[in-house]
Amino acid sequence: MKNKEIKIILIGALIVGGIVSLFASSFPDGLEKVAEDRGFIDKGFSIISGMMPDYLFPGIENEMLATSLAGIWGTLLVFVVIFIVGKLLIKRYVLDDSGKSEKK
Amino acid sequence: MHIPDGFLNNKVSVSLIGAAIAVVVLSVKKIRQRLFERVPVAKKKLAVAEGIDINDVEVSFKYSLTKIGENKIYKMAVIGAFVFAAQMVNFPVIGGTSGHLLGGVLAAVILGPLEGFLVIAIVLALQSLFFGDGGIMALGANIINIGLVGAIGGYYIYYFFNKKFKKKLLSAFLAAWISVILASVVCAMELVLSGTYSFGEILRAMILIHFFIGIGEGLITVCILKLLLRYCPKILKNEK
């Protein structure tokens, strides 16, 4: 890891995703509420429900633990994916002096 | 404000996917350019018997990753991770409704508008793929609403206020607040274009609730910026 601050923020993010998320309100969010009130909430569905629908880690009975694990897993996933995307952005990117990019 | 599948019709979804891809490609291109600097490299030709004169050294340019560029990738990754985590924490607002941080202004103020946009777009894509949060067909719409309007739009609102008032935190608060309301307006328009509901009513309902959710967005954004100023001041440097 590059520097101290990155570590601090990553730890902060893991605490928010893994612990603070347990205290999240279960009320519908703004858009869901509007959709409920106007009667079109049932139109909504997910084509891909994903590995962890509703931010619950699969195969775990205890809902709090499942939420916490999903939060930690997701936080790390986002970190790693953006990191990889970033590395791909900078890899094999060499320009010759005419300014054209050339893959090596 | 993550739109699930089914709320938007195909025409609207597909156009917005196209729009989202266009903005992603453009921002990737720009970000990439900024991560590199042009360094002159001396290319030496093969030495010849008469020795080396000046014409034997030709200069070409190589683009190499700047120090800032390298750090930026770590920064983007960690801010993305944080935005994801913070989005899980719904806070109650009025009338049995909740809201959560969208994080556009937060990410854009720390990373710059295009980097903020890209980070938000990746977070939205992962939420949609792994957590069933926001539809895969609606991903374009969500990237436009939360990424383009929230992060890029939000950044320029921040920039405008900051120029006027010269107060970063106040500007970030106002920008975060306004960006959420704007995103909800755009979201309402997409719903109307999809024939989901009549314009006036849904627009009013969306603005009303996001007026309050936006205050939460503003407060959280400012709190986090304040914490960063105190404990991680380096991450807020070279903002652009």
Side-chain angles (χ1 to χ4, degrees):
Chain A
M1 206 101 337
K2 272 287 163 205
N3 68 50
K4 217 176 95 196
E5 297 196 347
I6 302 291
K7 271 188 222 160
I8 296 176
I9 301 171
L10 185 60
I11 291 167
L14 288 170
I15 292 171
V16 172
I19 300 170
V20 184
S21 63
L22 296 175
F23 302 97
S25 162
S26 51
F27 289 143
D29 80 5
L31 174 63
E32 286 165 354
K33 179 73 175 168
V34 169
E36 265 179 25
D37 291 350
R38 303 293 180 282
F40 64 86
I41 188 78
D42 292 334
K43 278 186 157 187
F45 68 102
S46 294
I47 294 174
I48 300 175
S49 57
M51 272 170 80
M52 306 180 192
D54 288 321
Y55 296 91
L56 294 171
F57 203 87
I60 287 170
E61 294 273 311
N62 184 322
E63 201 173 303
M64 277 171 73
L65 186 63
T67 303
S68 186
L69 283 177
I72 290 168
W73 192 88
T75 303
L76 291 174
L77 175 77
V78 172
F79 185 87
V80 171
V81 168
I82 297 181
F83 188 75
I84 293 171
V85 169
K87 283 284 172 192
L88 289 178
L89 283 185
I90 62 178
K91 223 183 156 187
R92 293 193 292 169
Y93 184 64
V94 177
L95 284 122
D96 58 21
D97 40 357
S98 62
K100 269 195 298 187
S101 72
E102 126 197 334
K103 288 205 169 143
K104 224 180 172 181
Chain B
M1 206 186 301
H2 295 51
I3 304 175
D5 288 317
F7 277 18
L8 304 177
N9 67 18
N10 287 344
K11 229 194 225 162
V12 172
S13 306
V14 172
S15 333
L16 290 169
I17 288 172
I21 291 174
V23 186
V24 167
V25 169
L26 278 174
S27 60
V28 162
K29 225 173 153 184
K30 281 270 176 199
I31 292 168
R32 211 176 195 190
Q33 281 172 2
R34 273 192 237 145
L35 294 177
F36 292 88
E37 63 186 350
R38 207 160 173 253
V39 232
V41 185
K43 261 197 225 159
K44 223 162 137 194
K45 285 182 180 170
L46 284 172
V48 283
E50 295 92 280
I52 303 159
D53 68 45
I54 192 78
N55 294 327
D56 287 339
V57 180
E58 87 182 30
V59 174
S60 75
F61 290 94
K62 201 179 106 191
Y63 283 71
S64 81
L65 189 61
T66 61
K67 193 83 196 135
I68 296 170
E70 210 183 336
N71 287 336
K72 190 127 215 180
I73 290 163
Y74 282 94
K75 268 190 179 179
M76 284 170 67
V78 82
I79 295 301
F82 190 88
V83 166
F84 170 86
Q87 287 199 359
M88 281 182 75
V89 186
N90 282 60
F91 50 86
V93 282
I94 49 152
T97 311
S98 73
H100 61 71
L101 184 82
L102 296 179
V105 170
L106 181 67
V109 167
I110 299 171
L111 301 168
L114 298 177
E115 291 86 347
F117 166 81
L118 189 63
V119 161
I120 299 282
I122 294 173
V123 168
L124 289 168
L126 293 173
Q127 284 171 332
S128 165
L129 285 170
F130 289 90
F131 299 93
D133 192 12
I136 194 83
M137 275 298 281
L139 184 57
N142 287 324
I143 290 178
I144 293 298
N145 303 347
I146 301 172
L148 182 65
V149 179
I152 299 183
Y155 180 83
Y156 287 102
I157 299 171
Y158 162 80
Y159 187 80
F160 169 79
F161 281 126
N162 193 32
K163 244 187 163 176
K164 214 165 173 185
F165 302 134
K166 303 258 176 274
K167 286 203 165 101
K168 286 195 168 150
L169 290 177
L170 175 70
S171 309
F173 174 82
L174 291 172
W177 187 7
I178 295 169
S179 73
V180 169
I181 299 173
L182 279 181
S184 80
V185 169
V186 177
C187 176
M189 280 166 26
E190 290 156 4
L191 292 171
V192 172
L193 283 173
S194 300
T196 304
Y197 216 76
S198 70
F199 188 65
E201 205 171 328
I202 202 156
L203 187 69
R204 213 175 47 214
M206 284 294 277
I207 291 180
L208 182 70
I209 190 64
H210 287 96
F211 179 87
F212 293 101
I213 294 175
I215 295 176
E217 173 95 15
L219 291 176
I220 296 174
T221 301
V222 168
C223 285
I224 292 169
L225 287 176
K226 266 200 132 154
L227 282 173
L228 289 177
L229 274 174
R230 173 173 260 181
Y231 298 106
C232 303
K234 266 191 258 159
I235 201 137
L236 292 171
K237 294 214 176 111
N238 37 59
E239 287 176 359
K240 291 245 164 95

